[in-house]
Amino acid sequence: MSRLEVRPFAADDIPAAAELLAQRHRRHRQAQPLLSPRYEHASAAEEAVRAAAEAEHASGAVALRGGALVGYLIGSPKTSYTWGENMWVEAAGQAADEPEAMRELYALAADRWVAEGRKAHYVLTPADDVDLVRAWFRVGFGQQHAHGLRALPRPGELAAPKVSIRRAERADIPVLAELDIALPEHQARTPVFSAARPPTLQESLGEWGEDFDDPDFTTFVAVHDGEVIGSAVGCALEKSGSHTTLARPENAGFLGFAAVLPHARGLGAGRTLGEAVLAWAAETGYASVVTDWRVTNLLSSRAWPALGFQESFVRLHRLVGY
Ligand SMILES: CC(C)(COP(=O)(O)OP(=O)(O)OC[C@H]1O[C@@H](n2cnc3c(N)ncnc32)[C@H](O)[C@@H]1OP(=O)(O)O)[C@@H](O)C(=O)NCCC(=O)NCCS
């Protein structure tokens, strides 16, 4: 077999990279048929690869064997401080015929990323591609996050609510603001250690005051012993910047937020709120439902799989240096 050759990604590589991405997506859809069929075609895959390659400060690598492209990798930075000095490989940013080639691709691409000072690396990878995930593990990555996908609930599937649920009202804004802070506060602690800064109560109240009537978001609250103890928000998946291209199933509803006040966790309110969003997605005419969670969040990483969400993409993370 001829030797593997690795060199920086160039614009001319886009069509061949798109073929590899379309193949990867066809394999992915065998495990996850709810993902969009669109990217099984090289034309749609090419649009996604081109966007990845043309993003600001994008760079990457290609692997060739006998002159044929067998793998590619493209990353670009996000500006939010939450991610540190970073490079992100999004859903269209990698594919390989030979998973082992991904280690060579990373070695070349990361040399430049680290030299540029971008030491926090994030890679969105198909969850079922065990060999590719293992290749990433063997260049120092671990799982940070999961994207979950599920079909609409079947008739009779949803359990009887364990707490009562209703649509949020303006009078709920003080507790909705408190619940918005409960999630980042929980995730700032061990073992998540998220860098996201919780908003102040004042900021959260202000946002709810402005956004409460936004028709693009549907908010439910859970009530127990006459007190609102939790909330969940449903919206179109397009509202989320974290689920793009191949990671954005067509016409999907999104469980975009859920939190239960600390003293009321474990009573079944999270399940009931999640199921309210599933029922809402079915009534609204969505074809599937997506959510995502930090895998180090011991609460959500149990609650959402228990609700039937299966991992579709995993976000892997490596921080270079001490
Ligand atoms: C995640 C959260 C909304 C879940 O709400 P909750 O009321 O605590 O959850 P529930 O009591 O409904 O439990 C949900 C499921 O998780 C399962 N679960 C809970 N604790 C578990 C544990 N220790 N081990 C295994 N499964 C567990 C429950 O069994 C339940 O599944 P089941 O109904 O099939 O039995 C809530 O814990 C929370 O607010 N956490 C902090 C904020 C957060 O993480 N929000 C989600 C961000 S993605």
Side-chain angles (χ1 to χ4, degrees), residues 21 24 27-28 70-73 89 91 93-103 105 123-139 141 313-314 316:
L21 183 64
R24 187 199 86 186
R27 289 194 301 272
H28 197 176
V70 295
Y72 78 93
L73 175 66
V89 177
Q94 59 158 331
D97 268 352
E98 309 172 12
E100 187 61 16
M102 197 50 76
R103 301 175 74 223
L105 288 162
V123 180
L124 207 56
T125 301
D128 303 278
D129 198 335
V130 175
D131 292 336
L132 186 59
V133 170
R134 266 188 55 72
W136 281 111
F137 281 5
R138 290 180 302 118
V139 279
F141 282 72
F313 281 86
V314 289
L316 309 176

Side-chain angles (χ1 to χ4, degrees), residues 183 258-260 265-271 292 297 299-300 302-304 306:
L183 166 58
V260 172
R265 287 177 192 157
L267 297 174
R271 166 171 281 277
D292 59 83
N297 179 338
L299 301 176
S300 56
R302 289 166 179 153
W304 304 146

Side-chain angles (χ1 to χ4, degrees), residues 145 162 179 182-184 186-187 229-231 255-262 264-273 275 291-294 297-307:
H145 204 80
K162 290 189 178 159
L179 285 158
L183 166 58
H186 174 70
Q187 298 209 135
I229 53 156
S231 65
L255 169 57
F257 174 86
V260 172
L261 292 174
R265 287 177 192 157
L267 297 174
R271 166 171 281 277
T272 309
L273 284 160
E275 291 192 340
T291 194
D292 59 83
W293 59 88
R294 285 289 178 106
N297 179 338
L298 300 185
L299 301 176
S300 56
S301 64
R302 289 166 179 153
W304 304 146
L307 241 77

Side-chain angles (χ1 to χ4, degrees), residues 140-228:
F141 282 72
Q143 186 177 352
Q144 181 186 56
H145 204 80
H147 289 206
L149 174 59
R150 60 154 289 162
L152 295 175
R154 294 181 309 278
E157 180 191 333
L158 301 184
K162 290 189 178 159
V163 298
S164 72
I165 294 282
R166 61 167 171 77
R167 293 286 181 103
E169 297 162 2
R170 261 194 180 270
D172 298 321
I173 285 180
V175 67
L176 290 172
E178 203 183 324
L179 285 158
D180 263 13
I181 299 171
L183 166 58
E185 271 182 348
H186 174 70
Q187 298 209 135
R189 294 194 198 105
T190 188
V192 185
F193 299 117
S194 163
R197 182 184 63 83
T200 64
L201 189 59
Q202 227 33 52
E203 286 168 340
S204 185
L205 283 166
E207 271 180 37
W208 270 108
E210 277 174 31
D211 299 343
F212 187 83
D213 295 318
D214 188 338
D216 290 345
F217 297 88
T218 301
T219 305
F220 296 93
V221 293
V223 182
H224 184 61
D225 285 345
E227 180 204 1
V228 171

